[in-house]
Amino acid sequence: MENKRPFNTIIKKIGVAIFWVLLWALAAWWVDSPLVLPSPLKTLEGVIILAGDFEFFVSIGATLLRVFGGVFISVALGLVLGLAGGLNKAFYEIMNPFVSTIKSLPVVSVIILINLWIASGVVPLVVTFLICFPVTWTNVVQGVRTTDKKLLEMARIYNVDQTKIIRDIYIPSVKPFAVSALMNAIGLGWKVTVTAEVLANALPSIGMNLYYAKIYLETDLLFSWTLVIVICSLAIEKITLHVIGNNRKEEGQCPLS
């Protein structure tokens, strides 16, 4: 029975995907205008045509670098500064206005402002960092603040070193919040990066290819590039979840130090 469950889950997911593709195909047939709504087959053909050009892979690679760069920096700094903000009230009071301001700013405003100061090719990376950083920082601060008070009290009673308290109590408490922040940052990073590429005219990039497809009314290629974005985003999320799941299993198998 246990072996059948993953198989049944896969079948259900395939069934749901087929349902939405058929609905898309039906809508395209009803509209009967590839300029307005290309069919799934036409969109797939567009992806195949794009894949025959080396520039296709260059654009994807450049966008991936910006996404990974922005997300990695935001998560790394968010973890360190979030941990510091959760442990130190004064530091939290200093950082909170900056984080709150970034969270309240429209993404478009951030992109336009950053584009005034730095090269267009770097704008998406910096903007992705700025937009994703508050997500990580807020989650990590929350993780620190929800740490078991009884464990902390016991550690203080036995005069446990602060470094060990952070390593063995705070960090395990923060991990679920950090994982949630990472997954949110990946999803948000794709949207922000591609948007920034369009507004900053960053080349090469997926964003600019979307823009050119829209300008030249190549709706099929617009849908094809959108499909590429969705596939890349889902693939990265699944790989990340798989890596995190394997790490958790390995940690569970390791004896406590």
Side-chain angles (χ1 to χ4, degrees):
M1 286 294 292
E2 291 183 1
N3 292 333
K4 288 184 179 180
R5 285 180 183 176
F7 179 75
N8 291 337
T9 302
I10 292 171
I11 293 296
K12 286 179 181 178
K13 288 182 177 180
I14 293 173
V16 170
I18 291 173
F19 167 78
W20 285 108
V21 170
L22 288 175
L23 192 63
W24 175 9
L26 182 63
W29 172 80
W30 183 74
V31 171
D32 194 25
S33 175
L35 185 64
V36 177
L37 182 63
S39 67
L41 185 59
K42 190 71 175 175
T43 301
L44 189 58
E45 286 177 1
V47 173
I48 295 171
I49 292 170
L50 290 172
D53 186 357
F54 180 71
E55 291 297 322
F56 171 76
F57 298 99
V58 173
S59 297
I60 292 176
T63 297
L64 282 172
L65 283 175
R66 295 182 182 113
V67 173
F68 279 124
V71 170
F72 175 79
I73 296 170
S74 67
V75 171
L77 279 180
L79 286 171
V80 175
L81 299 182
L83 193 59
L87 295 172
N88 190 294
K89 189 174 181 181
F91 185 74
Y92 174 84
E93 295 297 334
I94 292 171
M95 285 294 298
N96 192 48
F98 168 75
V99 174
S100 299
T101 301
I102 295 298
K103 285 169 69 176
S104 62
L105 282 175
V107 176
V108 175
S109 297
V110 177
I111 295 169
I112 293 173
L113 285 171
I114 297 299
N115 197 27
L116 292 174
W117 303 323
I118 60 178
S120 60
V122 188
V123 170
L125 188 151
V126 176
V127 172
T128 301
F129 157 68
L130 287 174
I131 300 300
C132 294
F133 172 77
V135 176
T136 308
W137 190 83
T138 304
N139 273 268
V140 173
V141 169
Q142 186 179 356
V144 172
R145 291 181 173 178
T146 56
T147 303
D148 193 334
K149 305 300 179 185
K150 292 181 180 179
L151 282 175
L152 294 173
E153 187 63 30
M154 183 180 67
R156 291 190 183 96
I157 290 172
Y158 287 99
N159 294 319
V160 178
D161 186 69
Q162 183 66 21
T163 305
K164 290 184 178 180
I165 292 176
I166 293 173
R167 184 190 66 191
D168 298 330
I169 299 178
Y170 280 116
I171 290 180
S173 176
V174 165
K175 274 185 180 180
F177 294 88
V179 171
S180 175
L182 174 61
M183 300 313 299
N184 287 331
I186 290 173
L188 186 60
W190 268 103
K191 298 173 186 177
V192 172
T193 300
V194 174
T195 303
E197 286 176 341
V198 173
L199 294 178
N201 294 321
L203 286 171
S205 67
I206 291 177
M208 285 307 295
N209 280 288
L210 281 171
Y211 179 73
Y212 290 145
K214 178 252 184 185
I215 289 294
Y216 296 115
L217 297 178
E218 296 174 325
T219 312
D220 54 338
L221 292 184
L222 184 62
F223 270 69
S224 297
W225 277 110
T226 303
L227 179 61
V228 169
I229 293 171
V230 172
I231 292 172
C232 289
S233 179
L234 289 175
I236 291 171
E237 285 187 20
K238 294 297 182 183
I239 292 170
T240 304
L241 285 172
H242 180 71
V243 171
I244 291 171
N246 286 342
N247 287 340
R248 283 178 175 175
K249 287 179 183 178
E250 289 175 5
E251 287 176 2
Q253 292 171 355
C254 292
L256 293 173
S257 54

